[in-house]
Amino acid sequence: MKKEAIGVVLGSREATPLEFWIGIQDGLVRLDDVVWVEADHGGLVVRYYGMVDRVHKVLEGTQFDSDTFLAAGHLIPTNTAYVAHVTVTRLEPEEYLPPDPGSPVYLARGDSLNAALYYDRMKQKLPVGFMRNGEPAFVNLAFLDGRQGGHVNISGISGVAAKTSYALFLLHSLYTSGVLEDAASAKTLIFNVKGQDLFYLDRPNRELAPEERERYAAMGLAAEPFASVAFFAPPRLAQGQGHITASSHRAEGVRAYHWSLVDFCRDGLLPFLFSDRGAMSNLGFLIDHVTARLAALAHGQKGPELYVDDWPDGPTAEAGVFDSLGRVKIDSFGRLVDYLEFQLLGAESEGEAASGNQRWTARQHTGTLQAFVRRLRAAARNVGHLIRGDAPSNAPDPLGSSAQINVVDLHNLSPQAQMFVVGSLLRRVFGAKESGRHRGKVFVVLDELNKYAPREGESPIKDILLDIAERGRSLGVILIGAQQTASEVERRVVGNAAVRVVGRLDAAEAERPEYRYLPGAFRDRALILPQGTMILHQPEVPVPIAVQFPYPAWATKASEAVEDVSDEALKDELGL
């Protein structure tokens, strides 16, 4: 292929080994174009690769602003200077000498583009979208799957930045590109926090245009929905009101999830109900103490309900509350709170022996005990339908599921219930990976990280997310996290993400230190990015890359979902 120079290195502006300016002679040069130039330094030929990050046009020959009107009327002689600034991405060989003014500059294509962006060094290139020049963009899989780095963090304004859409595109690329060697054993846990749009990932998108299918093909990806997906939603009915059904707009294929009282106690899930354990110095200690007591109480119990033998003034007047051993049955979360209230406050108030009660109170001040019970009373309204004594546990098991992708719906739950579900499942996943019970990669997609791992304040699952961020990649747990404002997320969670992605940003947020890895020109562009365009930064490439990703091949809402693809004519129409 014949190469044609687009311009020359300018001599009127300083050229250094790391940046230089070029004057444009022919054609158009835009932001994000990749170029190269060679310079002969006394027999040592150095090739410079770089990316255009600024472009300017100026009317030479004018002195005053009003001279522009004279030039437009051809009344004074002028010349338009079209110049571009280039940030160097690579030198071959690595000799830090400046390029020579007047050297011809060429657009990077093919091998030169691969060299400029280090694609030639990537053993496993994961397609992540298209560059502005129409060429596919890649990420080094080793920096995403945990071998050399891990985790992805995505920031941007809700509803405009398309954070969830891009996270799903990355997953689609991971599973269908053939780059992830152990894709068959990999699992994904997606927390659905906004509506039920993610409940149609297994359905083709009837609005996918033919040209979008061509874009998938250009990246070596199939324009198809996700093949193996399981859906989970919280129960529709409250405890004791009949058959447990899922709270979902989708009629079939959605399983209701909940925990039994015994599993709740045995697995130590109580702390996930407290978002303010740091508000009182002794509250955290009491929570841990009661959690241990509940685990001991549930040990050996088989059914979903609990039985206790130390509740003398419990609901003894009600029929059917005793088993054959004379123990009192606890068959709802509200009744469990009643039992805890008796253990923590009832004995003292009724003048019973303090020795038996001290095992539960751990000699805590009455104010701390009352605060604990008050919080549990409030929690009963939010999680009573999720922690049940009338049915065995049916909690999602992402690693034990036959499906590759597991979508857990949270959007109708209260913030406290959302925290409980996320914390319980993350602990289960991370524990399974730590113990070696699952050897494949696990990808966790979680939006609203600022709520679950806030920079300031407490969260019952903040420590789990920190553990995933800092140790997860070595265990094969990869967090694909998203938030509107990275400045409000715990620094170590964001800082441990090897791949960072930015969609449209708020102007104030773009000035925060968390985005200093972006050059100034990219931070300015983030304020006007259209939906479907992201700025991506990865460790191996020294400059960020603006990428566009295709329209989802899977339905993103009910109106887009194709219900039945068995019809041959419909298959042809959809290109399946």
Side-chain angles (χ1 to χ4, degrees), residues 128 139 152-156 161-163 166-167 170 480-483 486 497-503 505 515 517-518 529 533-538 545 547 549:
V128 292
V139 157
V152 179
N153 187 263
I154 308 174
S155 300
K163 301 186 296 294
Y166 191 66
L170 286 180
I480 302 177
Q483 66 284 314
V499 178
R500 301 191 192 184
V501 183
V502 168
L505 288 179
Y515 304 94
Y517 65 91
L518 294 175
L529 284 177
T533 299
M534 316 295 283
I535 297 173
L536 184 145
H537 182 270
Q538 60 176 313
I545 301 174
V547 299
F549 61 100

PDB file of all heavy atoms in Angstrom, residues 128 139 152-156 161-163 166-167 170 480-483 486 497-503 505 515 517-518 529 533-538 545 547 549:
ATOM      1  N   VAL A 128     -12.634  -4.068  21.996  1.00  0.00           N
ATOM      2  CA  VAL A 128     -13.389  -3.234  22.936  1.00  0.00           C
ATOM      3  C   VAL A 128     -14.119  -2.086  22.230  1.00  0.00           C
ATOM      4  O   VAL A 128     -14.619  -1.182  22.889  1.00  0.00           O
ATOM      5  CB  VAL A 128     -12.461  -2.660  24.036  1.00  0.00           C
ATOM      6  CG1 VAL A 128     -11.965  -3.774  24.945  1.00  0.00           C
ATOM      7  CG2 VAL A 128     -11.292  -1.894  23.423  1.00  0.00           C
ATOM      8  N   VAL A 139      -7.906  -4.239  23.995  1.00  0.00           N
ATOM      9  CA  VAL A 139      -7.323  -4.210  25.334  1.00  0.00           C
ATOM     10  C   VAL A 139      -6.538  -5.498  25.513  1.00  0.00           C
ATOM     11  O   VAL A 139      -6.958  -6.563  25.049  1.00  0.00           O
ATOM     12  CB  VAL A 139      -8.418  -4.085  26.418  1.00  0.00           C
ATOM     13  CG1 VAL A 139      -7.938  -4.602  27.761  1.00  0.00           C
ATOM     14  CG2 VAL A 139      -8.860  -2.638  26.567  1.00  0.00           C
ATOM     15  N   VAL A 152     -12.273  -3.527  35.885  1.00  0.00           N
ATOM     16  CA  VAL A 152     -12.646  -2.429  34.997  1.00  0.00           C
ATOM     17  C   VAL A 152     -13.484  -1.451  35.808  1.00  0.00           C
ATOM     18  O   VAL A 152     -14.372  -1.864  36.564  1.00  0.00           O
ATOM     19  CB  VAL A 152     -13.467  -2.928  33.787  1.00  0.00           C
ATOM     20  CG1 VAL A 152     -13.863  -1.765  32.882  1.00  0.00           C
ATOM     21  CG2 VAL A 152     -12.685  -3.973  33.002  1.00  0.00           C
ATOM     22  N   ASN A 153     -13.216  -0.171  35.656  1.00  0.00           N
ATOM     23  CA  ASN A 153     -14.035   0.845  36.311  1.00  0.00           C
ATOM     24  C   ASN A 153     -14.566   1.808  35.267  1.00  0.00           C
ATOM     25  O   ASN A 153     -13.814   2.295  34.412  1.00  0.00           O
ATOM     26  CB  ASN A 153     -13.228   1.619  37.360  1.00  0.00           C
ATOM     27  CG  ASN A 153     -14.098   2.557  38.174  1.00  0.00           C
ATOM     28  OD1 ASN A 153     -14.181   3.737  37.877  1.00  0.00           O
ATOM     29  ND2 ASN A 153     -14.745   2.026  39.191  1.00  0.00           N
ATOM     30  N   ILE A 154     -15.882   2.066  35.320  1.00  0.00           N
ATOM     31  CA  ILE A 154     -16.556   2.893  34.320  1.00  0.00           C
ATOM     32  C   ILE A 154     -17.261   4.040  35.026  1.00  0.00           C
ATOM     33  O   ILE A 154     -18.029   3.816  35.963  1.00  0.00           O
ATOM     34  CB  ILE A 154     -17.582   2.071  33.516  1.00  0.00           C
ATOM     35  CG1 ILE A 154     -16.930   0.791  32.954  1.00  0.00           C
ATOM     36  CG2 ILE A 154     -18.172   2.895  32.385  1.00  0.00           C
ATOM     37  CD1 ILE A 154     -17.915  -0.146  32.281  1.00  0.00           C
ATOM     38  N   SER A 155     -16.994   5.263  34.579  1.00  0.00           N
ATOM     39  CA  SER A 155     -17.605   6.457  35.173  1.00  0.00           C
ATOM     40  C   SER A 155     -18.422   7.201  34.130  1.00  0.00           C
ATOM     41  O   SER A 155     -18.105   7.171  32.935  1.00  0.00           O
ATOM     42  CB  SER A 155     -16.528   7.396  35.726  1.00  0.00           C
ATOM     43  OG  SER A 155     -15.751   6.763  36.723  1.00  0.00           O
ATOM     44  N   GLY A 156     -19.452   7.896  34.590  1.00  0.00           N
ATOM     45  CA  GLY A 156     -20.218   8.730  33.675  1.00  0.00           C
ATOM     46  C   GLY A 156     -21.603   9.061  34.197  1.00  0.00           C
ATOM     47  O   GLY A 156     -22.120   8.430  35.128  1.00  0.00           O
ATOM     48  N   ALA A 161     -24.074   8.252  29.801  1.00  0.00           N
ATOM     49  CA  ALA A 161     -22.745   7.659  29.613  1.00  0.00           C
ATOM     50  C   ALA A 161     -22.794   6.211  29.134  1.00  0.00           C
ATOM     51  O   ALA A 161     -21.769   5.671  28.713  1.00  0.00           O
ATOM     52  CB  ALA A 161     -21.958   7.734  30.922  1.00  0.00           C
ATOM     53  N   ALA A 162     -23.959   5.552  29.212  1.00  0.00           N
ATOM     54  CA  ALA A 162     -24.115   4.167  28.737  1.00  0.00           C
ATOM     55  C   ALA A 162     -23.145   3.221  29.435  1.00  0.00           C
ATOM     56  O   ALA A 162     -22.536   2.355  28.812  1.00  0.00           O
ATOM     57  CB  ALA A 162     -23.931   4.095  27.216  1.00  0.00           C
ATOM     58  N   LYS A 163     -23.025   3.368  30.758  1.00  0.00           N
ATOM     59  CA  LYS A 163     -22.071   2.548  31.513  1.00  0.00           C
ATOM     60  C   LYS A 163     -22.443   1.066  31.474  1.00  0.00           C
ATOM     61  O   LYS A 163     -21.604   0.206  31.194  1.00  0.00           O
ATOM     62  CB  LYS A 163     -22.011   3.038  32.969  1.00  0.00           C
ATOM     63  CG  LYS A 163     -21.605   4.499  33.131  1.00  0.00           C
ATOM     64  CD  LYS A 163     -21.435   4.874  34.581  1.00  0.00           C
ATOM     65  CE  LYS A 163     -22.723   4.794  35.379  1.00  0.00           C
ATOM     66  NZ  LYS A 163     -23.732   5.786  34.944  1.00  0.00           N
ATOM     67  N   TYR A 166     -21.974  -0.490  28.019  1.00  0.00           N
ATOM     68  CA  TYR A 166     -20.592  -0.799  27.667  1.00  0.00           C
ATOM     69  C   TYR A 166     -20.080  -2.001  28.465  1.00  0.00           C
ATOM     70  O   TYR A 166     -19.328  -2.829  27.938  1.00  0.00           O
ATOM     71  CB  TYR A 166     -19.685   0.404  27.895  1.00  0.00           C
ATOM     72  CG  TYR A 166     -18.307   0.198  27.289  1.00  0.00           C
ATOM     73  CD1 TYR A 166     -18.161   0.100  25.912  1.00  0.00           C
ATOM     74  CD2 TYR A 166     -17.187   0.054  28.086  1.00  0.00           C
ATOM     75  CE1 TYR A 166     -16.912  -0.125  25.339  1.00  0.00           C
ATOM     76  CE2 TYR A 166     -15.935  -0.162  27.530  1.00  0.00           C
ATOM     77  CZ  TYR A 166     -15.809  -0.253  26.154  1.00  0.00           C
ATOM     78  OH  TYR A 166     -14.575  -0.490  25.594  1.00  0.00           O
ATOM     79  N   ALA A 167     -20.475  -2.118  29.729  1.00  0.00           N
ATOM     80  CA  ALA A 167     -20.070  -3.277  30.521  1.00  0.00           C
ATOM     81  C   ALA A 167     -20.583  -4.564  29.882  1.00  0.00           C
ATOM     82  O   ALA A 167     -19.866  -5.574  29.807  1.00  0.00           O
ATOM     83  CB  ALA A 167     -20.593  -3.145  31.954  1.00  0.00           C
ATOM     84  N   LEU A 170     -18.494  -5.413  26.830  1.00  0.00           N
ATOM     85  CA  LEU A 170     -17.236  -6.051  27.216  1.00  0.00           C
ATOM     86  C   LEU A 170     -17.450  -7.530  27.527  1.00  0.00           C
ATOM     87  O   LEU A 170     -16.643  -8.383  27.132  1.00  0.00           O
ATOM     88  CB  LEU A 170     -16.637  -5.339  28.431  1.00  0.00           C
ATOM     89  CG  LEU A 170     -16.003  -3.972  28.201  1.00  0.00           C
ATOM     90  CD1 LEU A 170     -15.476  -3.417  29.518  1.00  0.00           C
ATOM     91  CD2 LEU A 170     -14.881  -4.036  27.184  1.00  0.00           C
ATOM     92  N   ILE A 480     -16.227  -5.537  37.409  1.00  0.00           N
ATOM     93  CA  ILE A 480     -16.536  -4.529  36.400  1.00  0.00           C
ATOM     94  C   ILE A 480     -17.501  -3.561  37.082  1.00  0.00           C
ATOM     95  O   ILE A 480     -18.714  -3.781  37.120  1.00  0.00           O
ATOM     96  CB  ILE A 480     -17.159  -5.152  35.138  1.00  0.00           C
ATOM     97  CG1 ILE A 480     -16.212  -6.203  34.548  1.00  0.00           C
ATOM     98  CG2 ILE A 480     -17.458  -4.084  34.095  1.00  0.00           C
ATOM     99  CD1 ILE A 480     -16.777  -6.928  33.329  1.00  0.00           C
ATOM    100  N   GLY A 481     -16.937  -2.536  37.689  1.00  0.00           N
ATOM    101  CA  GLY A 481     -17.722  -1.607  38.500  1.00  0.00           C
ATOM    102  C   GLY A 481     -18.009  -0.320  37.770  1.00  0.00           C
ATOM    103  O   GLY A 481     -17.268   0.091  36.875  1.00  0.00           O
ATOM    104  N   ALA A 482     -19.095   0.328  38.157  1.00  0.00           N
ATOM    105  CA  ALA A 482     -19.498   1.572  37.510  1.00  0.00           C
ATOM    106  C   ALA A 482     -20.088   2.521  38.548  1.00  0.00           C
ATOM    107  O   ALA A 482     -20.600   2.092  39.590  1.00  0.00           O
ATOM    108  CB  ALA A 482     -20.509   1.307  36.399  1.00  0.00           C
ATOM    109  N   GLN A 483     -20.017   3.797  38.247  1.00  0.00           N
ATOM    110  CA  GLN A 483     -20.573   4.823  39.118  1.00  0.00           C
ATOM    111  C   GLN A 483     -20.658   6.119  38.339  1.00  0.00           C
ATOM    112  O   GLN A 483     -19.972   6.308  37.335  1.00  0.00           O
ATOM    113  CB  GLN A 483     -19.717   5.019  40.371  1.00  0.00           C
ATOM    114  CG  GLN A 483     -18.329   5.592  40.106  1.00  0.00           C
ATOM    115  CD  GLN A 483     -17.362   4.593  39.544  1.00  0.00           C
ATOM    116  OE1 GLN A 483     -17.263   3.477  40.023  1.00  0.00           O
ATOM    117  NE2 GLN A 483     -16.612   4.983  38.520  1.00  0.00           N
ATOM    118  N   ALA A 486     -16.585   8.868  40.277  1.00  0.00           N
ATOM    119  CA  ALA A 486     -15.492   8.098  40.869  1.00  0.00           C
ATOM    120  C   ALA A 486     -14.931   8.783  42.107  1.00  0.00           C
ATOM    121  O   ALA A 486     -14.337   8.122  42.968  1.00  0.00           O
ATOM    122  CB  ALA A 486     -14.381   7.898  39.840  1.00  0.00           C
ATOM    123  N   ALA A 497      -8.313  -0.761  39.567  1.00  0.00           N
ATOM    124  CA  ALA A 497      -8.853  -1.111  38.249  1.00  0.00           C
ATOM    125  C   ALA A 497      -7.792  -0.830  37.188  1.00  0.00           C
ATOM    126  O   ALA A 497      -7.388   0.318  36.988  1.00  0.00           O
ATOM    127  CB  ALA A 497     -10.119  -0.315  37.966  1.00  0.00           C
ATOM    128  N   ALA A 498      -7.360  -1.873  36.485  1.00  0.00           N
ATOM    129  CA  ALA A 498      -6.331  -1.691  35.455  1.00  0.00           C
ATOM    130  C   ALA A 498      -6.893  -0.992  34.230  1.00  0.00           C
ATOM    131  O   ALA A 498      -6.191  -0.235  33.562  1.00  0.00           O
ATOM    132  CB  ALA A 498      -5.742  -3.040  35.063  1.00  0.00           C
ATOM    133  N   VAL A 499      -8.156  -1.246  33.921  1.00  0.00           N
ATOM    134  CA  VAL A 499      -8.798  -0.625  32.763  1.00  0.00           C
ATOM    135  C   VAL A 499      -9.829   0.365  33.273  1.00  0.00           C
ATOM    136  O   VAL A 499     -10.725   0.008  34.041  1.00  0.00           O
ATOM    137  CB  VAL A 499      -9.482  -1.684  31.864  1.00  0.00           C
ATOM    138  CG1 VAL A 499     -10.188  -1.016  30.689  1.00  0.00           C
ATOM    139  CG2 VAL A 499      -8.462  -2.695  31.368  1.00  0.00           C
ATOM    140  N   ARG A 500      -9.696   1.615  32.833  1.00  0.00           N
ATOM    141  CA  ARG A 500     -10.640   2.651  33.264  1.00  0.00           C
ATOM    142  C   ARG A 500     -11.327   3.237  32.040  1.00  0.00           C
ATOM    143  O   ARG A 500     -10.690   3.509  31.020  1.00  0.00           O
ATOM    144  CB  ARG A 500      -9.921   3.754  34.044  1.00  0.00           C
ATOM    145  CG  ARG A 500      -9.208   3.236  35.285  1.00  0.00           C
ATOM    146  CD  ARG A 500      -8.751   4.371  36.170  1.00  0.00           C
ATOM    147  NE  ARG A 500      -7.850   3.916  37.200  1.00  0.00           N
ATOM    148  CZ  ARG A 500      -7.347   4.678  38.156  1.00  0.00           C
ATOM    149  NH1 ARG A 500      -7.672   5.971  38.185  1.00  0.00           N
ATOM    150  NH2 ARG A 500      -6.531   4.198  39.065  1.00  0.00           N
ATOM    151  N   VAL A 501     -12.626   3.417  32.185  1.00  0.00           N
ATOM    152  CA  VAL A 501     -13.451   3.877  31.074  1.00  0.00           C
ATOM    153  C   VAL A 501     -14.277   5.068  31.552  1.00  0.00           C
ATOM    154  O   VAL A 501     -14.797   5.067  32.670  1.00  0.00           O
ATOM    155  CB  VAL A 501     -14.376   2.755  30.573  1.00  0.00           C
ATOM    156  CG1 VAL A 501     -15.183   3.227  29.370  1.00  0.00           C
ATOM    157  CG2 VAL A 501     -13.569   1.509  30.219  1.00  0.00           C
ATOM    158  N   VAL A 502     -14.385   6.057  30.692  1.00  0.00           N
ATOM    159  CA  VAL A 502     -15.144   7.264  31.009  1.00  0.00           C
ATOM    160  C   VAL A 502     -16.127   7.554  29.893  1.00  0.00           C
ATOM    161  O   VAL A 502     -15.755   7.565  28.717  1.00  0.00           O
ATOM    162  CB  VAL A 502     -14.200   8.475  31.206  1.00  0.00           C
ATOM    163  CG1 VAL A 502     -14.983   9.774  31.242  1.00  0.00           C
ATOM    164  CG2 VAL A 502     -13.387   8.315  32.483  1.00  0.00           C
ATOM    165  N   GLY A 503     -17.390   7.755  30.255  1.00  0.00           N
ATOM    166  CA  GLY A 503     -18.382   8.266  29.324  1.00  0.00           C
ATOM    167  C   GLY A 503     -18.575   9.756  29.562  1.00  0.00           C
ATOM    168  O   GLY A 503     -17.659  10.438  30.037  1.00  0.00           O
ATOM    169  N   LEU A 505     -19.122  13.067  31.305  1.00  0.00           N
ATOM    170  CA  LEU A 505     -18.884  13.472  32.690  1.00  0.00           C
ATOM    171  C   LEU A 505     -19.494  14.826  32.978  1.00  0.00           C
ATOM    172  O   LEU A 505     -19.628  15.671  32.083  1.00  0.00           O
ATOM    173  CB  LEU A 505     -17.383  13.535  32.989  1.00  0.00           C
ATOM    174  CG  LEU A 505     -16.602  12.224  33.100  1.00  0.00           C
ATOM    175  CD1 LEU A 505     -15.131  12.536  33.373  1.00  0.00           C
ATOM    176  CD2 LEU A 505     -17.168  11.349  34.203  1.00  0.00           C
ATOM    177  N   TYR A 515      -9.466  11.784  37.798  1.00  0.00           N
ATOM    178  CA  TYR A 515      -9.407  11.745  36.334  1.00  0.00           C
ATOM    179  C   TYR A 515      -8.121  12.377  35.803  1.00  0.00           C
ATOM    180  O   TYR A 515      -8.026  12.649  34.611  1.00  0.00           O
ATOM    181  CB  TYR A 515     -10.622  12.462  35.747  1.00  0.00           C
ATOM    182  CG  TYR A 515     -11.932  11.895  36.237  1.00  0.00           C
ATOM    183  CD1 TYR A 515     -12.574  12.456  37.334  1.00  0.00           C
ATOM    184  CD2 TYR A 515     -12.508  10.792  35.634  1.00  0.00           C
ATOM    185  CE1 TYR A 515     -13.766  11.934  37.812  1.00  0.00           C
ATOM    186  CE2 TYR A 515     -13.704  10.262  36.102  1.00  0.00           C
ATOM    187  CZ  TYR A 515     -14.323  10.842  37.195  1.00  0.00           C
ATOM    188  OH  TYR A 515     -15.497  10.320  37.666  1.00  0.00           O
ATOM    189  N   TYR A 517      -5.453  10.994  35.202  1.00  0.00           N
ATOM    190  CA  TYR A 517      -4.794  10.110  34.243  1.00  0.00           C
ATOM    191  C   TYR A 517      -5.189  10.458  32.816  1.00  0.00           C
ATOM    192  O   TYR A 517      -4.546  10.019  31.862  1.00  0.00           O
ATOM    193  CB  TYR A 517      -5.126   8.650  34.537  1.00  0.00           C
ATOM    194  CG  TYR A 517      -6.572   8.281  34.351  1.00  0.00           C
ATOM    195  CD1 TYR A 517      -7.036   7.802  33.136  1.00  0.00           C
ATOM    196  CD2 TYR A 517      -7.481   8.388  35.398  1.00  0.00           C
ATOM    197  CE1 TYR A 517      -8.363   7.464  32.960  1.00  0.00           C
ATOM    198  CE2 TYR A 517      -8.808   8.056  35.238  1.00  0.00           C
ATOM    199  CZ  TYR A 517      -9.244   7.591  34.024  1.00  0.00           C
ATOM    200  OH  TYR A 517     -10.564   7.258  33.854  1.00  0.00           O
ATOM    201  N   LEU A 518      -6.249  11.266  32.663  1.00  0.00           N
ATOM    202  CA  LEU A 518      -6.656  11.727  31.342  1.00  0.00           C
ATOM    203  C   LEU A 518      -5.977  13.059  31.037  1.00  0.00           C
ATOM    204  O   LEU A 518      -6.014  13.975  31.860  1.00  0.00           O
ATOM    205  CB  LEU A 518      -8.175  11.927  31.287  1.00  0.00           C
ATOM    206  CG  LEU A 518      -9.063  10.689  31.411  1.00  0.00           C
ATOM    207  CD1 LEU A 518     -10.527  11.110  31.456  1.00  0.00           C
ATOM    208  CD2 LEU A 518      -8.825   9.738  30.252  1.00  0.00           C
ATOM    209  N   LEU A 529     -19.188  14.040  25.236  1.00  0.00           N
ATOM    210  CA  LEU A 529     -19.208  12.741  24.568  1.00  0.00           C
ATOM    211  C   LEU A 529     -20.638  12.303  24.273  1.00  0.00           C
ATOM    212  O   LEU A 529     -21.501  12.348  25.154  1.00  0.00           O
ATOM    213  CB  LEU A 529     -18.546  11.674  25.445  1.00  0.00           C
ATOM    214  CG  LEU A 529     -17.019  11.678  25.534  1.00  0.00           C
ATOM    215  CD1 LEU A 529     -16.558  10.604  26.511  1.00  0.00           C
ATOM    216  CD2 LEU A 529     -16.386  11.450  24.170  1.00  0.00           C
ATOM    217  N   THR A 533     -19.997   6.508  22.886  1.00  0.00           N
ATOM    218  CA  THR A 533     -18.564   6.795  22.787  1.00  0.00           C
ATOM    219  C   THR A 533     -17.965   6.829  24.181  1.00  0.00           C
ATOM    220  O   THR A 533     -18.516   7.466  25.082  1.00  0.00           O
ATOM    221  CB  THR A 533     -18.311   8.136  22.084  1.00  0.00           C
ATOM    222  OG1 THR A 533     -18.828   8.086  20.756  1.00  0.00           O
ATOM    223  CG2 THR A 533     -16.816   8.438  22.017  1.00  0.00           C
ATOM    224  N   MET A 534     -16.869   6.130  24.371  1.00  0.00           N
ATOM    225  CA  MET A 534     -16.206   6.064  25.667  1.00  0.00           C
ATOM    226  C   MET A 534     -14.724   6.397  25.490  1.00  0.00           C
ATOM    227  O   MET A 534     -14.160   6.192  24.413  1.00  0.00           O
ATOM    228  CB  MET A 534     -16.336   4.662  26.283  1.00  0.00           C
ATOM    229  CG  MET A 534     -17.715   4.039  26.181  1.00  0.00           C
ATOM    230  SD  MET A 534     -19.001   4.910  27.096  1.00  0.00           S
ATOM    231  CE  MET A 534     -18.668   4.384  28.768  1.00  0.00           C
ATOM    232  N   ILE A 535     -14.117   6.896  26.546  1.00  0.00           N
ATOM    233  CA  ILE A 535     -12.667   7.106  26.581  1.00  0.00           C
ATOM    234  C   ILE A 535     -12.078   5.999  27.441  1.00  0.00           C
ATOM    235  O   ILE A 535     -12.448   5.846  28.614  1.00  0.00           O
ATOM    236  CB  ILE A 535     -12.311   8.487  27.144  1.00  0.00           C
ATOM    237  CG1 ILE A 535     -12.857   9.585  26.226  1.00  0.00           C
ATOM    238  CG2 ILE A 535     -10.805   8.627  27.287  1.00  0.00           C
ATOM    239  CD1 ILE A 535     -12.688  10.983  26.789  1.00  0.00           C
ATOM    240  N   LEU A 536     -11.172   5.224  26.856  1.00  0.00           N
ATOM    241  CA  LEU A 536     -10.641   4.033  27.524  1.00  0.00           C
ATOM    242  C   LEU A 536      -9.146   4.182  27.770  1.00  0.00           C
ATOM    243  O   LEU A 536      -8.397   4.576  26.871  1.00  0.00           O
ATOM    244  CB  LEU A 536     -10.930   2.802  26.665  1.00  0.00           C
ATOM    245  CG  LEU A 536     -10.532   1.440  27.230  1.00  0.00           C
ATOM    246  CD1 LEU A 536     -11.547   0.383  26.816  1.00  0.00           C
ATOM    247  CD2 LEU A 536      -9.139   1.025  26.746  1.00  0.00           C
ATOM    248  N   HIS A 537      -8.750   3.847  28.978  1.00  0.00           N
ATOM    249  CA  HIS A 537      -7.335   3.888  29.346  1.00  0.00           C
ATOM    250  C   HIS A 537      -6.915   2.526  29.866  1.00  0.00           C
ATOM    251  O   HIS A 537      -7.612   1.918  30.673  1.00  0.00           O
ATOM    252  CB  HIS A 537      -7.086   4.942  30.427  1.00  0.00           C
ATOM    253  CG  HIS A 537      -5.654   5.069  30.827  1.00  0.00           C
ATOM    254  ND1 HIS A 537      -5.101   4.335  31.854  1.00  0.00           N
ATOM    255  CD2 HIS A 537      -4.639   5.830  30.342  1.00  0.00           C
ATOM    256  CE1 HIS A 537      -3.817   4.644  31.984  1.00  0.00           C
ATOM    257  NE2 HIS A 537      -3.522   5.541  31.081  1.00  0.00           N
ATOM    258  N   GLN A 538      -5.772   2.044  29.376  1.00  0.00           N
ATOM    259  CA  GLN A 538      -5.231   0.765  29.833  1.00  0.00           C
ATOM    260  C   GLN A 538      -3.736   0.928  30.078  1.00  0.00           C
ATOM    261  O   GLN A 538      -3.087   1.817  29.508  1.00  0.00           O
ATOM    262  CB  GLN A 538      -5.488  -0.330  28.807  1.00  0.00           C
ATOM    263  CG  GLN A 538      -4.877  -0.079  27.441  1.00  0.00           C
ATOM    264  CD  GLN A 538      -5.087  -1.239  26.495  1.00  0.00           C
ATOM    265  OE1 GLN A 538      -4.859  -2.383  26.851  1.00  0.00           O
ATOM    266  NE2 GLN A 538      -5.543  -0.949  25.277  1.00  0.00           N
ATOM    267  N   ILE A 545      -7.753   6.182  24.606  1.00  0.00           N
ATOM    268  CA  ILE A 545      -8.298   6.000  23.264  1.00  0.00           C
ATOM    269  C   ILE A 545      -9.812   6.197  23.325  1.00  0.00           C
ATOM    270  O   ILE A 545     -10.484   5.622  24.183  1.00  0.00           O
ATOM    271  CB  ILE A 545      -7.989   4.586  22.721  1.00  0.00           C
ATOM    272  CG1 ILE A 545      -6.479   4.353  22.672  1.00  0.00           C
ATOM    273  CG2 ILE A 545      -8.584   4.402  21.328  1.00  0.00           C
ATOM    274  CD1 ILE A 545      -6.101   2.938  22.297  1.00  0.00           C
ATOM    275  N   VAL A 547     -13.265   5.324  21.993  1.00  0.00           N
ATOM    276  CA  VAL A 547     -13.817   4.174  21.268  1.00  0.00           C
ATOM    277  C   VAL A 547     -15.332   4.302  21.168  1.00  0.00           C
ATOM    278  O   VAL A 547     -15.979   4.888  22.042  1.00  0.00           O
ATOM    279  CB  VAL A 547     -13.453   2.832  21.946  1.00  0.00           C
ATOM    280  CG1 VAL A 547     -11.953   2.639  21.984  1.00  0.00           C
ATOM    281  CG2 VAL A 547     -14.036   2.751  23.348  1.00  0.00           C
ATOM    282  N   PHE A 549     -18.786   1.808  20.485  1.00  0.00           N
ATOM    283  CA  PHE A 549     -19.182   0.403  20.482  1.00  0.00           C
ATOM    284  C   PHE A 549     -20.543   0.261  19.812  1.00  0.00           C
ATOM    285  O   PHE A 549     -21.360   1.185  19.833  1.00  0.00           O
ATOM    286  CB  PHE A 549     -19.192  -0.177  21.896  1.00  0.00           C
ATOM    287  CG  PHE A 549     -20.149   0.485  22.858  1.00  0.00           C
ATOM    288  CD1 PHE A 549     -21.381  -0.091  23.145  1.00  0.00           C
ATOM    289  CD2 PHE A 549     -19.818   1.683  23.485  1.00  0.00           C
ATOM    290  CE1 PHE A 549     -22.261   0.499  24.031  1.00  0.00           C
ATOM    291  CE2 PHE A 549     -20.693   2.282  24.372  1.00  0.00           C
ATOM    292  CZ  PHE A 549     -21.916   1.692  24.647  1.00  0.00           C
TER     293      PHE A 549
END
